Amino acid sequence: MDISDLLKDWEFGELAQQFIENGINMEVLKICRFEDISSLLSPLSLGSKILFKRKLGRISERICLGGNYFEAAVGF
């Protein structure tokens, strides 16, 4: 799964090009904090930003617990 696929899966596909242009790939997304990418989310409503933050946090939780990315992406 690449960043475009993930963002589409999360229903944030409109952000894919911005993420790619700014060098945010799956490897970077796994280690970034919400604050690192918040400027890329400026077109989103507050509610959408909150949902994005939650999904990003779930990736971090899985990584900390020893899960792999695929496990973290499922069920969002």
Side-chain angles (χ1 to χ4, degrees), residues 33-51:
R33 298 170 308 190
F34 181 77
E35 295 77 20
D36 297 329
I37 58 171
S38 62
S39 65
L40 299 178
L41 306 178
S42 61
L44 300 179
S45 68
L46 178 58
S48 293
K49 289 177 185 176
I50 292 168
L51 291 173

PDB file of all heavy atoms in Angstrom, residues 33-51:
ATOM      1  N   ARG A  33       4.467  13.140  13.435  1.00  0.00           N
ATOM      2  CA  ARG A  33       3.419  13.525  14.371  1.00  0.00           C
ATOM      3  C   ARG A  33       2.400  14.375  13.616  1.00  0.00           C
ATOM      4  O   ARG A  33       2.691  14.918  12.561  1.00  0.00           O
ATOM      5  CB  ARG A  33       4.008  14.343  15.515  1.00  0.00           C
ATOM      6  CG  ARG A  33       5.027  13.590  16.345  1.00  0.00           C
ATOM      7  CD  ARG A  33       5.711  14.528  17.265  1.00  0.00           C
ATOM      8  NE  ARG A  33       6.190  15.648  16.420  1.00  0.00           N
ATOM      9  CZ  ARG A  33       7.007  16.596  16.811  1.00  0.00           C
ATOM     10  NH1 ARG A  33       7.445  16.632  18.019  1.00  0.00           N
ATOM     11  NH2 ARG A  33       7.393  17.549  15.986  1.00  0.00           N
ATOM     12  N   PHE A  34       1.254  14.511  14.164  1.00  0.00           N
ATOM     13  CA  PHE A  34       0.211  15.320  13.534  1.00  0.00           C
ATOM     14  C   PHE A  34       0.727  16.732  13.264  1.00  0.00           C
ATOM     15  O   PHE A  34       0.474  17.300  12.207  1.00  0.00           O
ATOM     16  CB  PHE A  34      -1.041  15.356  14.417  1.00  0.00           C
ATOM     17  CG  PHE A  34      -2.148  16.153  13.814  1.00  0.00           C
ATOM     18  CD1 PHE A  34      -2.911  15.632  12.790  1.00  0.00           C
ATOM     19  CD2 PHE A  34      -2.415  17.434  14.258  1.00  0.00           C
ATOM     20  CE1 PHE A  34      -3.935  16.378  12.218  1.00  0.00           C
ATOM     21  CE2 PHE A  34      -3.438  18.182  13.695  1.00  0.00           C
ATOM     22  CZ  PHE A  34      -4.200  17.648  12.675  1.00  0.00           C
ATOM     23  N   GLU A  35       1.468  17.273  14.216  1.00  0.00           N
ATOM     24  CA  GLU A  35       1.990  18.631  14.079  1.00  0.00           C
ATOM     25  C   GLU A  35       2.931  18.757  12.882  1.00  0.00           C
ATOM     26  O   GLU A  35       3.042  19.824  12.292  1.00  0.00           O
ATOM     27  CB  GLU A  35       2.719  19.065  15.354  1.00  0.00           C
ATOM     28  CG  GLU A  35       1.826  19.183  16.563  1.00  0.00           C
ATOM     29  CD  GLU A  35       1.452  17.836  17.202  1.00  0.00           C
ATOM     30  OE1 GLU A  35       2.147  16.820  16.970  1.00  0.00           O
ATOM     31  OE2 GLU A  35       0.453  17.799  17.924  1.00  0.00           O
ATOM     32  N   ASP A  36       3.612  17.679  12.530  1.00  0.00           N
ATOM     33  CA  ASP A  36       4.540  17.700  11.402  1.00  0.00           C
ATOM     34  C   ASP A  36       3.827  17.921  10.074  1.00  0.00           C
ATOM     35  O   ASP A  36       4.402  18.504   9.154  1.00  0.00           O
ATOM     36  CB  ASP A  36       5.326  16.383  11.313  1.00  0.00           C
ATOM     37  CG  ASP A  36       6.212  16.135  12.516  1.00  0.00           C
ATOM     38  OD1 ASP A  36       6.698  17.113  13.115  1.00  0.00           O
ATOM     39  OD2 ASP A  36       6.420  14.955  12.852  1.00  0.00           O
ATOM     40  N   ILE A  37       2.608  17.442   9.969  1.00  0.00           N
ATOM     41  CA  ILE A  37       1.907  17.515   8.678  1.00  0.00           C
ATOM     42  C   ILE A  37       0.644  18.373   8.728  1.00  0.00           C
ATOM     43  O   ILE A  37      -0.076  18.451   7.747  1.00  0.00           O
ATOM     44  CB  ILE A  37       1.554  16.106   8.168  1.00  0.00           C
ATOM     45  CG1 ILE A  37       0.700  15.355   9.177  1.00  0.00           C
ATOM     46  CG2 ILE A  37       2.795  15.327   7.796  1.00  0.00           C
ATOM     47  CD1 ILE A  37       0.141  14.068   8.654  1.00  0.00           C
ATOM     48  N   SER A  38       0.400  19.033   9.827  1.00  0.00           N
ATOM     49  CA  SER A  38      -0.846  19.792   9.969  1.00  0.00           C
ATOM     50  C   SER A  38      -1.012  20.860   8.883  1.00  0.00           C
ATOM     51  O   SER A  38      -2.130  21.130   8.461  1.00  0.00           O
ATOM     52  CB  SER A  38      -0.955  20.415  11.359  1.00  0.00           C
ATOM     53  OG  SER A  38       0.084  21.331  11.573  1.00  0.00           O
ATOM     54  N   SER A  39       0.084  21.439   8.402  1.00  0.00           N
ATOM     55  CA  SER A  39      -0.034  22.459   7.361  1.00  0.00           C
ATOM     56  C   SER A  39      -0.576  21.879   6.056  1.00  0.00           C
ATOM     57  O   SER A  39      -1.199  22.591   5.268  1.00  0.00           O
ATOM     58  CB  SER A  39       1.313  23.141   7.114  1.00  0.00           C
ATOM     59  OG  SER A  39       2.252  22.220   6.596  1.00  0.00           O
ATOM     60  N   LEU A  40      -0.376  20.589   5.834  1.00  0.00           N
ATOM     61  CA  LEU A  40      -0.902  19.954   4.629  1.00  0.00           C
ATOM     62  C   LEU A  40      -2.401  19.699   4.726  1.00  0.00           C
ATOM     63  O   LEU A  40      -3.047  19.388   3.736  1.00  0.00           O
ATOM     64  CB  LEU A  40      -0.179  18.629   4.372  1.00  0.00           C
ATOM     65  CG  LEU A  40       1.321  18.702   4.151  1.00  0.00           C
ATOM     66  CD1 LEU A  40       1.893  17.309   3.957  1.00  0.00           C
ATOM     67  CD2 LEU A  40       1.645  19.582   2.956  1.00  0.00           C
ATOM     68  N   LEU A  41      -2.946  19.836   5.921  1.00  0.00           N
ATOM     69  CA  LEU A  41      -4.361  19.546   6.143  1.00  0.00           C
ATOM     70  C   LEU A  41      -5.224  20.804   6.132  1.00  0.00           C
ATOM     71  O   LEU A  41      -6.412  20.742   6.423  1.00  0.00           O
ATOM     72  CB  LEU A  41      -4.529  18.815   7.478  1.00  0.00           C
ATOM     73  CG  LEU A  41      -3.694  17.551   7.659  1.00  0.00           C
ATOM     74  CD1 LEU A  41      -3.927  16.966   9.039  1.00  0.00           C
ATOM     75  CD2 LEU A  41      -3.979  16.532   6.581  1.00  0.00           C
ATOM     76  N   SER A  42      -4.640  21.931   5.780  1.00  0.00           N
ATOM     77  CA  SER A  42      -5.369  23.201   5.844  1.00  0.00           C
ATOM     78  C   SER A  42      -6.667  23.232   5.049  1.00  0.00           C
ATOM     79  O   SER A  42      -7.599  23.923   5.455  1.00  0.00           O
ATOM     80  CB  SER A  42      -4.468  24.368   5.445  1.00  0.00           C
ATOM     81  OG  SER A  42      -3.998  24.219   4.127  1.00  0.00           O
ATOM     82  N   PRO A  43      -6.789  22.488   3.924  1.00  0.00           N
ATOM     83  CA  PRO A  43      -8.075  22.522   3.216  1.00  0.00           C
ATOM     84  C   PRO A  43      -9.213  21.804   3.941  1.00  0.00           C
ATOM     85  O   PRO A  43     -10.372  21.930   3.561  1.00  0.00           O
ATOM     86  CB  PRO A  43      -7.804  21.830   1.882  1.00  0.00           C
ATOM     87  CG  PRO A  43      -6.367  21.499   1.830  1.00  0.00           C
ATOM     88  CD  PRO A  43      -5.791  21.740   3.189  1.00  0.00           C
ATOM     89  N   LEU A  44      -8.892  21.056   4.975  1.00  0.00           N
ATOM     90  CA  LEU A  44      -9.902  20.241   5.657  1.00  0.00           C
ATOM     91  C   LEU A  44     -10.658  21.020   6.720  1.00  0.00           C
ATOM     92  O   LEU A  44     -10.136  21.951   7.319  1.00  0.00           O
ATOM     93  CB  LEU A  44      -9.228  19.038   6.326  1.00  0.00           C
ATOM     94  CG  LEU A  44      -8.477  18.064   5.432  1.00  0.00           C
ATOM     95  CD1 LEU A  44      -7.856  16.960   6.274  1.00  0.00           C
ATOM     96  CD2 LEU A  44      -9.373  17.486   4.357  1.00  0.00           C
ATOM     97  N   SER A  45     -11.870  20.573   6.981  1.00  0.00           N
ATOM     98  CA  SER A  45     -12.647  21.130   8.088  1.00  0.00           C
ATOM     99  C   SER A  45     -12.038  20.657   9.401  1.00  0.00           C
ATOM    100  O   SER A  45     -11.245  19.706   9.435  1.00  0.00           O
ATOM    101  CB  SER A  45     -14.098  20.640   8.001  1.00  0.00           C
ATOM    102  OG  SER A  45     -14.153  19.238   8.251  1.00  0.00           O
ATOM    103  N   LEU A  46     -12.417  21.290  10.481  1.00  0.00           N
ATOM    104  CA  LEU A  46     -11.916  20.904  11.797  1.00  0.00           C
ATOM    105  C   LEU A  46     -12.251  19.443  12.102  1.00  0.00           C
ATOM    106  O   LEU A  46     -11.412  18.684  12.581  1.00  0.00           O
ATOM    107  CB  LEU A  46     -12.474  21.821  12.886  1.00  0.00           C
ATOM    108  CG  LEU A  46     -12.054  21.487  14.319  1.00  0.00           C
ATOM    109  CD1 LEU A  46     -10.534  21.518  14.461  1.00  0.00           C
ATOM    110  CD2 LEU A  46     -12.703  22.450  15.294  1.00  0.00           C
ATOM    111  N   GLY A  47     -13.462  19.048  11.797  1.00  0.00           N
ATOM    112  CA  GLY A  47     -13.868  17.664  12.054  1.00  0.00           C
ATOM    113  C   GLY A  47     -13.023  16.669  11.282  1.00  0.00           C
ATOM    114  O   GLY A  47     -12.617  15.636  11.820  1.00  0.00           O
ATOM    115  N   SER A  48     -12.718  16.981  10.023  1.00  0.00           N
ATOM    116  CA  SER A  48     -11.879  16.100   9.211  1.00  0.00           C
ATOM    117  C   SER A  48     -10.460  16.040   9.758  1.00  0.00           C
ATOM    118  O   SER A  48      -9.828  14.987   9.755  1.00  0.00           O
ATOM    119  CB  SER A  48     -11.862  16.578   7.759  1.00  0.00           C
ATOM    120  OG  SER A  48     -13.127  16.419   7.173  1.00  0.00           O
ATOM    121  N   LYS A  49      -9.952  17.163  10.245  1.00  0.00           N
ATOM    122  CA  LYS A  49      -8.610  17.174  10.841  1.00  0.00           C
ATOM    123  C   LYS A  49      -8.569  16.287  12.078  1.00  0.00           C
ATOM    124  O   LYS A  49      -7.594  15.565  12.302  1.00  0.00           O
ATOM    125  CB  LYS A  49      -8.196  18.603  11.205  1.00  0.00           C
ATOM    126  CG  LYS A  49      -7.893  19.454  10.004  1.00  0.00           C
ATOM    127  CD  LYS A  49      -7.564  20.874  10.430  1.00  0.00           C
ATOM    128  CE  LYS A  49      -7.382  21.763   9.219  1.00  0.00           C
ATOM    129  NZ  LYS A  49      -7.157  23.163   9.578  1.00  0.00           N
ATOM    130  N   ILE A  50      -9.620  16.325  12.864  1.00  0.00           N
ATOM    131  CA  ILE A  50      -9.693  15.493  14.067  1.00  0.00           C
ATOM    132  C   ILE A  50      -9.701  14.013  13.680  1.00  0.00           C
ATOM    133  O   ILE A  50      -9.000  13.198  14.292  1.00  0.00           O
ATOM    134  CB  ILE A  50     -10.925  15.863  14.917  1.00  0.00           C
ATOM    135  CG1 ILE A  50     -10.721  17.265  15.508  1.00  0.00           C
ATOM    136  CG2 ILE A  50     -11.194  14.821  16.000  1.00  0.00           C
ATOM    137  CD1 ILE A  50     -11.971  17.866  16.116  1.00  0.00           C
ATOM    138  N   LEU A  51     -10.478  13.660  12.664  1.00  0.00           N
ATOM    139  CA  LEU A  51     -10.508  12.273  12.206  1.00  0.00           C
ATOM    140  C   LEU A  51      -9.151  11.832  11.675  1.00  0.00           C
ATOM    141  O   LEU A  51      -8.692  10.723  11.964  1.00  0.00           O
ATOM    142  CB  LEU A  51     -11.575  12.093  11.126  1.00  0.00           C
ATOM    143  CG  LEU A  51     -13.012  12.218  11.605  1.00  0.00           C
ATOM    144  CD1 LEU A  51     -13.963  12.203  10.412  1.00  0.00           C
ATOM    145  CD2 LEU A  51     -13.356  11.121  12.585  1.00  0.00           C
TER     146      LEU A  51
END
